[in-house]
Amino acid sequence: MKFLYSDGPIIACSTGTNTNAAMAVIRISGFKSLHQFKDFFTKDLTGPIEPRKVYYTSLVLQGQFIDDVCLTYFEAPKSYNGENILELSVHGNVLNVERILGLFQSYADCRSAGAGEFTYRALKNKKLDLSQVEGLDLFLNAQSTYALDQGLSLLSGNLHEYYLELYDLFLVHKSSLELSIDFSDDIGEEAAKDYYLKSLQQFTDKFSSLVKRVGPMGPNLIQPEIVLAGLPNSGKSSLFNFLLSEERAIVSSRAGTTRDFLSEYYEIEGVKYKLVDTAGIRDSLDDIEAEGIKRSKSKLHSGFFKILLVNPLEIDDGLHNLLQNNFDLIIFTHNDLPGFEAARERLISIYPYLGSIGAINLLEVSRAWELELKALVNKKYLYSIADKPILLERHKSLILQAGIVLSRYQSLATSESDVAILSHELNTLGSCLSEILGIVSPDQVLNSIFSNFCIGK
Ligand SMILES: Nc1nc2c(ncn2[C@@H]2O[C@H](COP(=O)(O)OP(=O)(O)OP(=O)(O)O)[C@@H](O)[C@H]2O)c(=O)[nH]1
Ligand SMILES: [Mg+2]
């Protein structure tokens, strides 16, 4: 990322520039002195300006009035990212915001900030560590109150504290190993071993509670998706439109109408799911449709709640493959058509477990049915978050990795007396832990985290 190497003043609108609003907040960060902006305000910036106090002033360019603004100065290092920051609350018309941004870029040597650049500087200046940055990202992009709370918890709450305490216990244990090497003569071999094992136990107990929150690498709970899948013409797009209460997807009797997946937000009990309509799964010789089908299959793989629609009047061998997936709900459609019962019986004779599933007519599906569907999805969601799972994949995989190293180390701790071997394993464990906290942050980790951020953060 290019911006990681430049530390000149940056500017961005932190409240988004897509729509007109009553107000917008523009942020400038990384300038040397407020004096450099003295010509832009009627307030005298060369006089005393108290940090963190709001001043009402006019913004002007070469004597021409631009806007009435509220100006707040955050002096380094006591600011969000440790740099001098100037925040301007301006009128939120998109054109006004763009004009003000342009003005500072053209006349005050400010550069347009990259996504997450303000926060990157906070990381660089040690105002936040990497796991706090990820927490902030989770918080700002949360689609459920659970994700919102976990974001906060990582940013400055319990989870952040927990990681720090765990790392402290690790350091205590590491020092106990060093103690047993360097000072066992002073404190006695028995006492040194005792201290060593006790500190390992304390660390392991704390780590175990964290592992319980990881579980298997499951569906994405940060942006959970409800995926509608099935063979062509099974009614996926009809159900998609019904749930969204709009004709969002094209519905037609021609098999293969939906060629790429479509997705829209669909809220259930405060969780903003993505409802995904997929392309009907079939062997296609058409390159574009084949690509759409490939994407649909991958949606099926990552989906949180998977629904299979089956029109028993139009089935082929592809159904067998589809049924290999773990669906949360299977529904027969087209139950209003002649021949439905016979076709359904035929299918049940091949797949007896389909005998217990319900059937609906998607042309007349009811809102009561939708409520039942919502209750099912919500039940699964509540179940999934019951053990307070860690949401971030990077943390999950590092915790699992640390768990493997820890169990190897534990068995060595009681059997191995070669301190060099023990130290080596302990250092590997330490690297995993410091990566979780972000004490060591490989560039690619930084890039993938910051590419997620919005401009102005
Ligand atoms: N009679 C009847 N027709 C239905 C029902 N559900 C869907 N249809 C019709 O079946 C046809 C196919 O429906 P779609 O919703 O486009 O099916 P799809 O699964 O999205 O199909 P592809 O996009 O081709 O994969 C349309 O003509 C719908 O009006 C149903 O329950 N009963
Ligand atoms: Mg469709």
Side-chain angles (χ1 to χ4, degrees), residues 167-370:
Y167 196 68
D168 278 349
L169 285 178
F170 168 78
L171 292 179
V172 169
H173 178 65
K174 196 166 183 252
S175 73
S176 82
L177 179 64
E178 282 150 17
L179 195 74
S180 69
I181 307 167
D182 299 333
F183 300 102
S184 65
D185 288 349
D186 303 336
I187 59 171
E189 205 171 308
E190 268 306 295
K193 184 83 184 167
D194 196 43
Y195 179 50
Y196 169 76
L197 290 176
K198 215 182 242 163
S199 60
L200 176 58
Q201 192 58 48
Q202 278 170 344
F203 173 78
T204 311
D205 289 348
K206 187 122 191 135
F207 186 75
S208 308
S209 317
L210 197 61
V211 170
K212 282 194 198 122
R213 297 181 58 184
V214 173
M217 303 300 260
N220 183 345
L221 282 172
I222 296 181
Q223 177 53 86
E225 292 179 332
I226 302 172
V227 181
L228 307 176
L231 298 177
N233 265 354
S234 51
K236 302 175 294 297
S237 301
S238 305
L239 181 56
F240 184 70
N241 289 347
F242 167 76
L243 294 174
L244 297 175
S245 303
E246 62 167 307
E247 298 305 305
R248 172 70 182 81
I250 300 172
V251 166
S252 95
S253 56
R254 193 192 298 174
T257 300
T258 310
R259 301 184 116 214
D260 194 358
F261 72 82
L262 294 169
S263 67
E264 292 292 339
Y265 282 115
Y266 183 69
E267 193 166 329
I268 304 174
E269 302 287 340
V271 181
K272 280 180 151 191
Y273 295 87
K274 276 266 173 90
L275 183 65
V276 186
D277 179 20
T278 61
I281 308 287
R282 64 174 174 181
D283 288 331
S284 174
L285 294 175
D286 180 313
D287 285 357
I288 298 171
E289 189 184 356
E291 178 58 31
I293 290 170
K294 196 167 129 200
R295 289 170 179 223
S296 298
K297 284 183 179 165
S298 109
K299 280 285 161 199
L300 245 188
H301 187 68
S302 62
F304 169 72
F305 195 89
K306 303 167 199 180
I307 305 176
L308 176 68
L309 289 90
V310 182
N311 170 4
L313 294 159
E314 285 190 50
I315 54 159
D316 59 36
D317 293 347
L319 182 64
H320 182 74
N321 291 335
L322 263 175
L323 286 170
Q324 307 309 308
N325 292 282
N326 252 338
F327 286 99
D328 298 281
L329 179 66
I330 303 179
I331 336 160
F332 282 126
T333 59
H334 295 74
N335 72 345
D336 53 312
L337 291 185
F340 171 85
E341 271 312 325
R344 179 186 196 227
E345 292 300 324
R346 267 198 305 281
L347 209 52
I348 292 172
S349 69
I350 309 170
Y351 305 104
Y353 66 93
L354 294 184
S356 58
I357 67 168
I360 50 174
N361 165 13
L362 283 176
L363 304 183
E364 289 178 7
V365 69
S366 71
R367 291 292 160 196
W369 183 86
E370 183 184 8

Side-chain angles (χ1 to χ4, degrees), residues 61-78:
L61 175 64
Q62 289 155 357
Q64 191 201 329
F65 173 73
I66 304 287
D67 195 5
D68 279 325
V69 305
C70 286
L71 171 157
T72 319
Y73 174 48
F74 299 88
E75 191 175 32
K78 285 187 178 171

Side-chain angles (χ1 to χ4, degrees), residues 55-120:
Y55 294 90
Y56 179 65
T57 172
S58 292
L59 178 64
V60 291
L61 175 64
Q62 289 155 357
Q64 191 201 329
F65 173 73
I66 304 287
D67 195 5
D68 279 325
V69 305
C70 286
L71 171 157
T72 319
Y73 174 48
F74 299 88
E75 191 175 32
K78 285 187 178 171
S79 70
Y80 167 62
N81 61 8
E83 297 184 333
N84 283 331
I85 290 184
L86 184 64
E87 264 184 26
L88 303 176
S89 301
V90 307
H91 287 102
N93 174 289
V94 173
L95 289 176
N96 186 46
V97 170
E98 281 172 0
R99 178 159 70 177
I100 296 171
L101 291 174
L103 187 153
F104 282 94
Q105 285 164 26
S106 306
Y107 300 99
D109 232 8
C110 292
R111 166 172 69 73
S112 181
E117 193 168 1
F118 293 92
T119 306
Y120 172 73

